[in-house]
Amino acid sequence: MGDLLLRILEAHQGRFVSGEEIGRRMGTSRAAVWKQVRTLRRRGFGVEGARGAGYRLLGRPDVIEETDVLSRLSSRSFWKSFTFLPVTDSTNSRAAEGAEKGAPHGTIVCADAQTGGRGRFDRRWESPPGVNLYLSLLLRPPVESRRAPQFTLVAAVALAKAVEEVAKIPARLKWPNDLYVAGKKAAGILAEMSTDADRLRHVVIGIGLNVNSEESHFPGVLSRSATSLRLATGRTFRRAEVLARFLDHFAESYRDFLSGGMTVLLPEWNRRSLLAGKRVMVRCPDGEMWGTAKGMDEEGMLLFRADGAKGEKRLHSGEIVQFER
Ligand code: BTN
């Protein structure tokens, strides 16, 4: 029924059509028409309603289509499978499931919306439909499992490059997995791996990038710390284009990483570091402490000098809970 309404609005090519006429053509009441209008809006269509005039179609949702994404790629041969889901609980869970069933290295799982999007420390990742990117990459890299966390950093550099290219604003990286624009978090990365003794069986790298979300998409206090490319620039972006730019940069960074380790990527990461030289509070297995962040080392560990301590610590995991701006 929603599609019939869409066809009627489309046939009027941006001109108003009265609720009464729509109801007649659909064989429903005006109240039912109003319900269908709301459904179309939830799907991302811009439908304007004006008292006395009716409804008109203003904009279509930004859909992500496989052929559109693939045709924009220069790294086509790197990627072996692309699945797009209108909605799923978590693309990381779908990719891990695929991995257990033998899905190949270079598998991409992308969703328009997630009902159980996951962040680090079991936090929820807001995943409304039609506006952002939620995707997971399945990789089977020939490296020891201790190096798996480094893939978060590979993805972070690729994401920063893609954001800078399409949005034309600087991207900053906050160790270990956040991307900031205009002083707020716009993306997060969640890497999950499966190991077999010391061998890495696979790693799933989940990326959530707020592309076109508006403030109303961030519940409660989140709008103080979270942003999107649209909020930071005042422009909207085609998600397929942002995705393709990221996938190209990822394929390139991944190859650099396999051939030369962190040597090429480290300067790229450190020059975008949000924290280098700043006072930060770290929460790690030993507790919480204040100190100064020094940057990242070859193994992707954060170099950190705790207040009052003589030497530097290397942190392999943890969270920066506060930092000076
Ligand atoms: C974080 O900042 O804590 C990481 C957020 C990662 C979110 C992405 S969205 C796609 C993928 N699927 C998930 O459930 N999580 C990641």
Side-chain angles (χ1 to χ4, degrees), residues 269-289:
W269 203 101
N270 274 331
R271 106 184 147 73
R272 295 183 174 89
S273 171
L274 183 72
L275 302 176
K278 288 193 177 163
R279 296 210 9 94
V280 301
M281 183 164 96
V282 181
R283 182 180 296 149
C284 56
D286 307 342
E288 287 180 354
M289 55 195 148

Side-chain angles (χ1 to χ4, degrees), residues 104-159:
H105 171 78
T107 290
I108 305 160
V109 181
C110 182
D112 187 53
Q114 296 182 118
T115 52
R118 290 185 273 119
R120 291 177 83 218
F121 308 109
D122 277 335
R123 291 187 189 127
R124 185 181 152 71
W125 185 258
E126 289 302 322
S127 312
V131 282
N132 296 328
L133 282 172
Y134 319 109
L135 70 140
S136 299
L137 310 177
L138 166 65
L139 305 168
R140 299 183 182 279
V143 301
E144 291 166 52
S145 55
R146 65 177 178 84
R147 292 183 69 193
Q150 296 175 338
F151 291 100
T152 301
L153 312 172
V154 175
V157 168
L159 195 59

Side-chain angles (χ1 to χ4, degrees), residues 89-93 114 116-121 123 125 127 133-136 177-178 185 187-190 206-209:
D89 54 352
S90 153
T91 56
N92 265 32
S93 305
Q114 296 182 118
R118 290 185 273 119
R120 291 177 83 218
F121 308 109
R123 291 187 189 127
W125 185 258
S127 312
L133 282 172
Y134 319 109
L135 70 140
S136 299
N177 72 332
D178 295 345
K185 177 166 168 171
I189 301 171
L190 178 68
I207 292 113
L209 171 63

Side-chain angles (χ1 to χ4, degrees), residues 180-208:
Y180 274 59
V181 291
K184 291 183 176 182
K185 177 166 168 171
I189 301 171
L190 178 68
E192 296 177 312
M193 61 171 167
S194 159
T195 57
D196 196 351
D198 269 355
R199 201 177 62 89
L200 184 59
R201 292 175 65 223
H202 70 251
V203 56
V204 169
I205 303 182
I207 292 113

Side-chain angles (χ1 to χ4, degrees), residues 60-302:
R60 332 193 104 268
D62 175 34
V63 287
I64 299 176
E65 269 163 347
E66 177 175 351
T67 47
D68 187 19
V69 176
L70 299 184
S71 69
R72 291 167 191 263
L73 287 182
S74 6
S75 57
R76 183 72 194 83
S77 61
F78 183 91
W79 302 106
K80 300 292 181 262
S81 151
F82 183 97
T83 302
F84 179 76
L85 304 164
V87 63
T88 188
D89 54 352
S90 153
T91 56
N92 265 32
S93 305
R94 293 289 77 71
E97 224 170 70
E100 293 309 324
K101 292 183 189 144
H105 171 78
T107 290
I108 305 160
V109 181
C110 182
D112 187 53
Q114 296 182 118
T115 52
R118 290 185 273 119
R120 291 177 83 218
F121 308 109
D122 277 335
R123 291 187 189 127
R124 185 181 152 71
W125 185 258
E126 289 302 322
S127 312
V131 282
N132 296 328
L133 282 172
Y134 319 109
L135 70 140
S136 299
L137 310 177
L138 166 65
L139 305 168
R140 299 183 182 279
V143 301
E144 291 166 52
S145 55
R146 65 177 178 84
R147 292 183 69 193
Q150 296 175 338
F151 291 100
T152 301
L153 312 172
V154 175
V157 168
L159 195 59
K161 287 183 175 174
V163 163
E164 287 169 354
E165 210 171 292
V166 294
K168 314 246 177 312
I169 47 172
R172 295 275 166 266
L173 297 172
K174 177 171 166 266
W175 182 85
N177 72 332
D178 295 345
L179 182 142
Y180 274 59
V181 291
K184 291 183 176 182
K185 177 166 168 171
I189 301 171
L190 178 68
E192 296 177 312
M193 61 171 167
S194 159
T195 57
D196 196 351
D198 269 355
R199 201 177 62 89
L200 184 59
R201 292 175 65 223
H202 70 251
V203 56
V204 169
I205 303 182
I207 292 113
L209 171 63
N210 298 331
V211 180
N212 292 321
S213 42
E214 297 173 48
E215 262 176 23
S216 60
H217 286 110
F218 300 118
V221 291
L222 200 58
S223 65
R224 272 195 244 138
S225 56
T227 193
S228 68
L229 302 188
R230 176 180 179 169
L231 286 168
T233 61
R235 287 179 291 131
T236 51
F237 300 88
R238 270 198 77 79
R239 288 180 297 166
E241 174 60 13
V242 184
L243 176 56
R245 292 290 60 79
F246 167 67
L247 294 172
D248 278 348
H249 281 296
F250 184 88
E252 194 191 342
S253 298
Y254 179 87
R255 285 191 186 114
D256 285 347
F257 175 75
L258 278 199
S259 58
M262 291 295 286
T263 349
V264 180
L265 293 173
L266 196 58
E268 292 284 356
W269 203 101
N270 274 331
R271 106 184 147 73
R272 295 183 174 89
S273 171
L274 183 72
L275 302 176
K278 288 193 177 163
R279 296 210 9 94
V280 301
M281 183 164 96
V282 181
R283 182 180 296 149
C284 56
D286 307 342
E288 287 180 354
M289 55 195 148
W290 275 98
T292 307
K294 298 285 184 187
M296 200 171 58
D297 75 1
E298 290 279 325
E299 292 186 357
M301 306 218 191
L302 180 72

